[in-house]
Short mmCIF file of all heavy atoms in Angstrom, two decimals:
data_model
loop_
_atom_site.label_atom_id
_atom_site.label_comp_id
_atom_site.label_asym_id
_atom_site.label_seq_id
_atom_site.Cartn_x
_atom_site.Cartn_y
_atom_site.Cartn_z
N ILE A 34 24.13 31.10 51.57
CA ILE A 34 23.25 30.24 52.36
C ILE A 34 22.09 29.76 51.49
O ILE A 34 21.73 28.58 51.48
CB ILE A 34 22.67 31.01 53.59
CG1 ILE A 34 23.77 31.63 54.43
CG2 ILE A 34 21.77 30.11 54.43
CD1 ILE A 34 24.57 30.68 55.23
N ALA A 35 21.53 30.72 50.74
CA ALA A 35 20.40 30.37 49.87
C ALA A 35 20.82 29.30 48.87
O ALA A 35 20.09 28.33 48.62
CB ALA A 35 19.91 31.62 49.15
N GLN A 36 22.02 29.48 48.32
CA GLN A 36 22.55 28.51 47.35
C GLN A 36 22.66 27.11 47.97
O GLN A 36 22.28 26.12 47.36
CB GLN A 36 23.95 28.97 46.96
CG GLN A 36 24.21 29.07 45.48
CD GLN A 36 25.64 29.56 45.27
OE1 GLN A 36 26.10 30.48 45.96
NE2 GLN A 36 26.35 28.95 44.32
N ILE A 37 23.19 27.07 49.19
CA ILE A 37 23.36 25.78 49.87
C ILE A 37 21.99 25.14 50.13
O ILE A 37 21.80 23.95 49.90
CB ILE A 37 24.13 25.95 51.21
CG1 ILE A 37 25.52 26.53 50.95
CG2 ILE A 37 24.24 24.61 51.94
CD1 ILE A 37 26.25 27.00 52.18
N ASN A 38 21.05 25.99 50.55
CA ASN A 38 19.70 25.47 50.80
C ASN A 38 19.08 24.92 49.52
O ASN A 38 18.41 23.89 49.53
CB ASN A 38 18.82 26.55 51.40
CG ASN A 38 19.12 26.75 52.89
OD1 ASN A 38 19.47 25.80 53.59
ND2 ASN A 38 19.02 27.98 53.36
N ASP A 39 19.32 25.61 48.40
CA ASP A 39 18.76 25.16 47.13
C ASP A 39 19.34 23.81 46.69
O ASP A 39 18.70 23.05 45.97
CB ASP A 39 19.03 26.18 46.02
CG ASP A 39 18.20 27.45 46.23
OD1 ASP A 39 17.24 27.38 47.04
OD2 ASP A 39 18.51 28.49 45.60
N LEU A 40 20.57 23.54 47.12
CA LEU A 40 21.21 22.29 46.71
C LEU A 40 20.71 21.08 47.52
O LEU A 40 21.03 19.94 47.22
CB LEU A 40 22.73 22.40 46.87
CG LEU A 40 23.47 23.25 45.82
CD1 LEU A 40 24.87 23.60 46.32
CD2 LEU A 40 23.55 22.49 44.49
N GLU A 41 19.96 21.36 48.56
CA GLU A 41 19.59 20.30 49.49
C GLU A 41 18.85 19.12 48.83
O GLU A 41 19.24 17.96 49.05
CB GLU A 41 18.77 20.86 50.66
CG GLU A 41 18.64 19.87 51.80
CD GLU A 41 18.40 20.54 53.13
OE1 GLU A 41 18.08 21.76 53.16
OE2 GLU A 41 18.52 19.86 54.16
N PRO A 42 17.79 19.39 48.02
CA PRO A 42 17.08 18.25 47.41
C PRO A 42 18.01 17.37 46.59
O PRO A 42 17.93 16.13 46.65
CB PRO A 42 16.04 18.93 46.49
CG PRO A 42 15.93 20.33 46.96
CD PRO A 42 17.21 20.69 47.63
N GLN A 43 18.93 18.03 45.90
CA GLN A 43 19.91 17.30 45.08
C GLN A 43 20.75 16.34 45.93
O GLN A 43 21.01 15.21 45.54
CB GLN A 43 20.81 18.35 44.44
CG GLN A 43 21.49 17.95 43.17
CD GLN A 43 22.25 19.15 42.64
OE1 GLN A 43 21.73 20.27 42.53
NE2 GLN A 43 23.53 18.93 42.31
N MET A 44 21.17 16.83 47.10
CA MET A 44 21.99 16.00 47.99
C MET A 44 21.17 14.89 48.62
O MET A 44 21.66 13.79 48.85
CB MET A 44 22.61 16.87 49.09
CG MET A 44 23.55 17.94 48.58
SD MET A 44 24.91 17.22 47.63
CE MET A 44 25.58 18.68 46.82
N GLN A 45 19.91 15.21 48.88
CA GLN A 45 19.04 14.19 49.49
C GLN A 45 18.81 13.03 48.53
O GLN A 45 18.57 11.90 48.95
CB GLN A 45 17.70 14.82 49.89
CG GLN A 45 17.80 15.56 51.21
CD GLN A 45 16.58 16.42 51.50
OE1 GLN A 45 15.77 16.70 50.61
NE2 GLN A 45 16.46 16.87 52.74
N ALA A 46 18.93 13.32 47.23
CA ALA A 46 18.70 12.27 46.24
C ALA A 46 19.88 11.32 46.08
O ALA A 46 19.77 10.27 45.44
CB ALA A 46 18.36 12.92 44.90
N LEU A 47 21.02 11.69 46.65
CA LEU A 47 22.22 10.84 46.49
C LEU A 47 22.09 9.56 47.31
O LEU A 47 21.45 9.55 48.35
CB LEU A 47 23.47 11.59 46.97
CG LEU A 47 23.90 12.84 46.21
CD1 LEU A 47 25.08 13.49 46.91
CD2 LEU A 47 24.26 12.51 44.76
N SER A 48 22.71 8.51 46.82
CA SER A 48 22.78 7.30 47.64
C SER A 48 24.00 7.42 48.55
O SER A 48 24.91 8.21 48.28
CB SER A 48 22.90 6.06 46.75
OG SER A 48 24.18 6.03 46.18
N ASP A 49 24.01 6.62 49.61
CA ASP A 49 25.12 6.72 50.58
C ASP A 49 26.49 6.58 49.91
O ASP A 49 27.45 7.25 50.30
CB ASP A 49 24.98 5.64 51.66
CG ASP A 49 23.90 6.01 52.68
OD1 ASP A 49 23.23 7.05 52.46
OD2 ASP A 49 23.74 5.27 53.67
N GLU A 50 26.58 5.71 48.92
CA GLU A 50 27.88 5.47 48.28
C GLU A 50 28.36 6.68 47.48
O GLU A 50 29.55 6.81 47.20
CB GLU A 50 27.83 4.26 47.32
CG GLU A 50 27.51 2.92 47.95
CD GLU A 50 26.03 2.79 48.26
OE1 GLU A 50 25.22 2.97 47.31
OE2 GLU A 50 25.68 2.53 49.43
N ASP A 51 27.42 7.53 47.09
CA ASP A 51 27.81 8.69 46.29
C ASP A 51 28.66 9.69 47.08
O ASP A 51 29.41 10.47 46.51
CB ASP A 51 26.56 9.42 45.77
CG ASP A 51 25.80 8.59 44.77
OD1 ASP A 51 26.43 7.71 44.14
OD2 ASP A 51 24.58 8.80 44.63
N PHE A 52 28.51 9.64 48.42
CA PHE A 52 29.19 10.66 49.23
C PHE A 52 30.71 10.58 49.15
O PHE A 52 31.36 11.56 48.79
CB PHE A 52 28.68 10.61 50.68
CG PHE A 52 27.31 11.20 50.85
CD1 PHE A 52 26.18 10.49 50.46
CD2 PHE A 52 27.15 12.48 51.35
CE1 PHE A 52 24.91 11.05 50.59
CE2 PHE A 52 25.88 13.04 51.50
CZ PHE A 52 24.76 12.33 51.11
N PRO A 53 31.30 9.39 49.45
CA PRO A 53 32.76 9.33 49.31
C PRO A 53 33.21 9.55 47.88
O PRO A 53 34.27 10.14 47.64
CB PRO A 53 33.11 7.91 49.77
CG PRO A 53 31.86 7.27 50.20
CD PRO A 53 30.72 8.17 50.00
N ALA A 54 32.38 9.12 46.93
CA ALA A 54 32.75 9.29 45.52
C ALA A 54 32.87 10.77 45.18
O ALA A 54 33.83 11.20 44.53
CB ALA A 54 31.72 8.61 44.62
N LYS A 55 31.92 11.55 45.67
CA LYS A 55 31.95 13.00 45.44
C LYS A 55 33.22 13.61 46.05
O LYS A 55 33.91 14.40 45.42
CB LYS A 55 30.74 13.67 46.10
CG LYS A 55 29.52 13.74 45.23
CD LYS A 55 29.16 15.23 45.01
CE LYS A 55 27.97 15.43 44.09
NZ LYS A 55 28.27 15.47 42.68
N ILE A 56 33.50 13.19 47.27
CA ILE A 56 34.67 13.73 47.96
C ILE A 56 35.94 13.42 47.15
O ILE A 56 36.78 14.31 46.93
CB ILE A 56 34.78 13.14 49.39
CG1 ILE A 56 33.64 13.64 50.27
CG2 ILE A 56 36.12 13.46 50.01
CD1 ILE A 56 33.72 15.09 50.70
N ASN A 57 36.05 12.20 46.70
CA ASN A 57 37.24 11.83 45.94
C ASN A 57 37.35 12.61 44.63
O ASN A 57 38.43 13.02 44.24
CB ASN A 57 37.26 10.33 45.66
CG ASN A 57 37.66 9.57 46.91
OD1 ASN A 57 38.37 10.10 47.77
ND2 ASN A 57 37.18 8.34 47.04
N GLN A 58 36.21 12.78 44.02
CA GLN A 58 36.21 13.54 42.76
C GLN A 58 36.68 14.98 43.02
O GLN A 58 37.51 15.52 42.30
CB GLN A 58 34.78 13.52 42.20
CG GLN A 58 34.60 14.31 40.91
CD GLN A 58 33.14 14.69 40.72
OE1 GLN A 58 32.24 13.99 41.19
NE2 GLN A 58 32.90 15.82 40.07
N TRP A 59 36.17 15.58 44.09
CA TRP A 59 36.58 16.96 44.42
C TRP A 59 38.05 17.03 44.80
O TRP A 59 38.74 17.98 44.44
CB TRP A 59 35.71 17.50 45.56
CG TRP A 59 34.31 17.82 45.15
CD1 TRP A 59 33.88 18.08 43.88
CD2 TRP A 59 33.17 17.92 45.99
NE1 TRP A 59 32.54 18.33 43.88
CE2 TRP A 59 32.05 18.24 45.17
CE3 TRP A 59 32.95 17.76 47.36
CZ2 TRP A 59 30.77 18.41 45.66
CZ3 TRP A 59 31.67 17.94 47.86
CH2 TRP A 59 30.58 18.26 47.04
N LYS A 60 38.49 16.04 45.53
CA LYS A 60 39.91 16.02 45.89
C LYS A 60 40.76 16.09 44.63
O LYS A 60 41.74 16.84 44.55
CB LYS A 60 40.26 14.72 46.63
CG LYS A 60 40.06 14.77 48.14
CD LYS A 60 40.59 13.48 48.73
CE LYS A 60 40.52 13.47 50.25
NZ LYS A 60 40.95 12.18 50.82
N ASP A 61 40.36 15.28 43.66
CA ASP A 61 41.10 15.25 42.40
C ASP A 61 41.04 16.60 41.70
O ASP A 61 42.04 17.12 41.22
CB ASP A 61 40.50 14.14 41.51
CG ASP A 61 41.20 14.08 40.16
OD1 ASP A 61 42.42 13.84 40.18
OD2 ASP A 61 40.54 14.32 39.13
N GLU A 62 39.85 17.19 41.68
CA GLU A 62 39.71 18.48 41.01
C GLU A 62 40.55 19.56 41.67
O GLU A 62 41.14 20.41 41.00
CB GLU A 62 38.23 18.91 41.00
CG GLU A 62 37.39 18.09 40.03
CD GLU A 62 35.91 18.44 40.10
OE1 GLU A 62 35.56 19.51 40.66
OE2 GLU A 62 35.11 17.64 39.61
N VAL A 63 40.60 19.52 43.00
CA VAL A 63 41.36 20.54 43.72
C VAL A 63 42.86 20.34 43.51
O VAL A 63 43.60 21.27 43.21
CB VAL A 63 41.03 20.52 45.23
CG1 VAL A 63 41.99 21.43 46.00
CG2 VAL A 63 39.59 20.93 45.47
N GLN A 64 43.27 19.08 43.63
CA GLN A 64 44.71 18.81 43.55
C GLN A 64 45.25 18.89 42.14
O GLN A 64 46.34 19.40 41.91
CB GLN A 64 45.01 17.42 44.11
CG GLN A 64 45.06 17.39 45.61
CD GLN A 64 45.49 16.02 46.06
OE1 GLN A 64 44.70 15.07 46.02
NE2 GLN A 64 46.74 15.89 46.45
N ASN A 65 44.49 18.33 41.20
CA ASN A 65 45.06 18.19 39.86
C ASN A 65 44.52 19.17 38.83
O ASN A 65 45.13 19.36 37.79
CB ASN A 65 44.83 16.76 39.34
CG ASN A 65 45.40 15.74 40.31
OD1 ASN A 65 46.46 15.97 40.89
ND2 ASN A 65 44.68 14.64 40.52
N GLN A 66 43.37 19.76 39.12
CA GLN A 66 42.85 20.68 38.12
C GLN A 66 42.76 22.10 38.65
O GLN A 66 42.16 22.97 38.03
CB GLN A 66 41.47 20.20 37.65
CG GLN A 66 41.55 18.84 36.94
CD GLN A 66 40.20 18.13 36.96
OE1 GLN A 66 39.17 18.76 36.74
NE2 GLN A 66 40.21 16.83 37.20
N GLY A 67 43.36 22.27 39.82
CA GLY A 67 43.43 23.63 40.36
C GLY A 67 42.08 24.23 40.70
O GLY A 67 41.90 25.44 40.68
N ARG A 68 41.11 23.39 41.04
CA ARG A 68 39.81 23.96 41.37
C ARG A 68 39.85 24.66 42.73
O ARG A 68 40.45 24.16 43.68
CB ARG A 68 38.74 22.86 41.38
CG ARG A 68 37.36 23.45 41.54
CD ARG A 68 36.27 22.64 40.93
NE ARG A 68 34.99 23.30 41.21
CZ ARG A 68 33.84 22.67 41.31
NH1 ARG A 68 33.79 21.36 41.13
NH2 ARG A 68 32.74 23.35 41.57
N ASP A 69 39.21 25.79 42.79
CA ASP A 69 39.26 26.64 43.96
C ASP A 69 38.30 26.13 45.04
O ASP A 69 37.17 25.75 44.75
CB ASP A 69 38.84 28.04 43.53
CG ASP A 69 39.34 29.08 44.49
OD1 ASP A 69 40.42 28.87 45.06
OD2 ASP A 69 38.63 30.08 44.69
N LEU A 70 38.76 26.15 46.29
CA LEU A 70 37.90 25.70 47.38
C LEU A 70 36.67 26.59 47.53
O LEU A 70 35.57 26.12 47.79
CB LEU A 70 38.67 25.65 48.70
CG LEU A 70 39.78 24.60 48.83
CD1 LEU A 70 40.42 24.67 50.21
CD2 LEU A 70 39.26 23.19 48.57
N ASP A 71 36.87 27.89 47.35
CA ASP A 71 35.74 28.82 47.47
C ASP A 71 34.63 28.46 46.50
O ASP A 71 33.44 28.56 46.80
CB ASP A 71 36.20 30.26 47.18
CG ASP A 71 37.13 30.76 48.26
OD1 ASP A 71 37.09 30.21 49.37
OD2 ASP A 71 37.91 31.69 47.98
N ASP A 72 35.08 28.05 45.32
CA ASP A 72 34.16 27.70 44.27
C ASP A 72 33.34 26.46 44.64
O ASP A 72 32.17 26.32 44.30
CB ASP A 72 35.05 27.45 43.03
CG ASP A 72 34.23 27.11 41.82
OD1 ASP A 72 33.18 27.74 41.66
OD2 ASP A 72 34.65 26.22 41.06
N LEU A 73 33.99 25.57 45.39
CA LEU A 73 33.33 24.32 45.79
C LEU A 73 32.45 24.45 47.03
O LEU A 73 31.69 23.55 47.36
CB LEU A 73 34.42 23.28 46.10
CG LEU A 73 34.86 22.37 44.97
CD1 LEU A 73 36.13 21.63 45.37
CD2 LEU A 73 33.76 21.36 44.65
N LEU A 74 32.61 25.59 47.72
CA LEU A 74 32.00 25.72 49.04
C LEU A 74 30.51 25.38 49.10
O LEU A 74 30.11 24.52 49.91
CB LEU A 74 32.29 27.11 49.61
CG LEU A 74 31.86 27.36 51.06
CD1 LEU A 74 32.84 28.26 51.78
CD2 LEU A 74 30.46 27.89 51.20
N PRO A 75 29.66 25.99 48.26
CA PRO A 75 28.22 25.71 48.42
C PRO A 75 27.90 24.21 48.29
O PRO A 75 27.21 23.65 49.15
CB PRO A 75 27.58 26.51 47.29
CG PRO A 75 28.58 27.55 46.93
CD PRO A 75 29.91 26.95 47.18
N GLU A 76 28.44 23.59 47.27
CA GLU A 76 28.17 22.17 47.06
C GLU A 76 28.69 21.32 48.21
O GLU A 76 28.03 20.40 48.69
CB GLU A 76 28.86 21.70 45.78
CG GLU A 76 27.99 21.68 44.56
CD GLU A 76 28.72 21.01 43.41
OE1 GLU A 76 29.63 21.65 42.85
OE2 GLU A 76 28.41 19.84 43.12
N CYS A 77 29.91 21.64 48.61
CA CYS A 77 30.54 20.86 49.67
C CYS A 77 29.77 21.01 50.98
O CYS A 77 29.50 20.02 51.67
CB CYS A 77 31.99 21.29 49.82
SG CYS A 77 32.85 20.39 51.10
N PHE A 78 29.41 22.24 51.33
CA PHE A 78 28.65 22.45 52.56
C PHE A 78 27.32 21.70 52.50
O PHE A 78 26.86 21.13 53.49
CB PHE A 78 28.41 23.95 52.81
CG PHE A 78 29.56 24.64 53.52
CD1 PHE A 78 30.87 24.19 53.36
CD2 PHE A 78 29.34 25.74 54.35
CE1 PHE A 78 31.93 24.83 54.00
CE2 PHE A 78 30.39 26.38 55.00
CZ PHE A 78 31.67 25.92 54.81
N ALA A 79 26.68 21.74 51.35
CA ALA A 79 25.40 21.05 51.21
C ALA A 79 25.58 19.54 51.41
O ALA A 79 24.75 18.87 52.03
CB ALA A 79 24.79 21.34 49.85
N LEU A 80 26.68 19.03 50.88
CA LEU A 80 26.95 17.60 51.02
C LEU A 80 27.21 17.24 52.48
O LEU A 80 26.70 16.24 53.01
CB LEU A 80 28.17 17.21 50.17
CG LEU A 80 28.46 15.71 50.09
CD1 LEU A 80 27.62 15.07 48.99
CD2 LEU A 80 29.95 15.45 49.81
N VAL A 81 28.01 18.09 53.18
CA VAL A 81 28.32 17.83 54.58
C VAL A 81 27.05 17.89 55.43
O VAL A 81 26.83 17.07 56.32
CB VAL A 81 29.37 18.84 55.11
CG1 VAL A 81 29.62 18.63 56.60
CG2 VAL A 81 30.67 18.72 54.35
N ARG A 82 26.21 18.83 55.11
CA ARG A 82 24.96 18.96 55.86
C ARG A 82 24.13 17.68 55.74
O ARG A 82 23.63 17.14 56.74
CB ARG A 82 24.17 20.16 55.33
CG ARG A 82 22.86 20.37 56.04
CD ARG A 82 22.04 21.41 55.31
NE ARG A 82 21.91 22.64 56.10
CZ ARG A 82 21.19 23.69 55.70
NH1 ARG A 82 20.61 23.69 54.52
NH2 ARG A 82 21.09 24.75 56.47
N GLU A 83 24.02 17.19 54.52
CA GLU A 83 23.23 15.98 54.31
C GLU A 83 23.91 14.77 54.98
O GLU A 83 23.24 13.91 55.56
CB GLU A 83 23.05 15.73 52.80
CG GLU A 83 22.25 14.49 52.44
CD GLU A 83 20.82 14.47 53.00
OE1 GLU A 83 20.31 15.53 53.41
OE2 GLU A 83 20.22 13.37 53.04
N ALA A 84 25.25 14.76 54.93
CA ALA A 84 25.98 13.67 55.59
C ALA A 84 25.73 13.72 57.10
O ALA A 84 25.56 12.69 57.75
CB ALA A 84 27.47 13.77 55.29
#
Side-chain angles (χ1 to χ4, degrees):
I34 306 287
Q36 231 179 317
I37 300 168
N38 283 327
D39 290 345
L40 285 164
E41 194 155 13
Q43 204 176 311
M44 297 301 166
Q45 279 168 346
L47 296 175
S48 72
D49 284 5
E50 297 77 55
D51 293 336
F52 285 77
K55 271 242 178 273
I56 292 288
N57 284 333
Q58 178 202 331
W59 287 338
K60 272 186 176 176
D61 178 61
E62 287 176 16
V63 171
Q64 279 185 285
N65 304 322
Q66 296 158 42
R68 187 152 178 208
D69 201 33
L70 292 182
D71 292 338
D72 182 39
L73 268 168
L74 187 144
E76 263 189 285
C77 180
F78 275 30
L80 187 85
V81 176
R82 180 190 248 182
E83 180 59 17

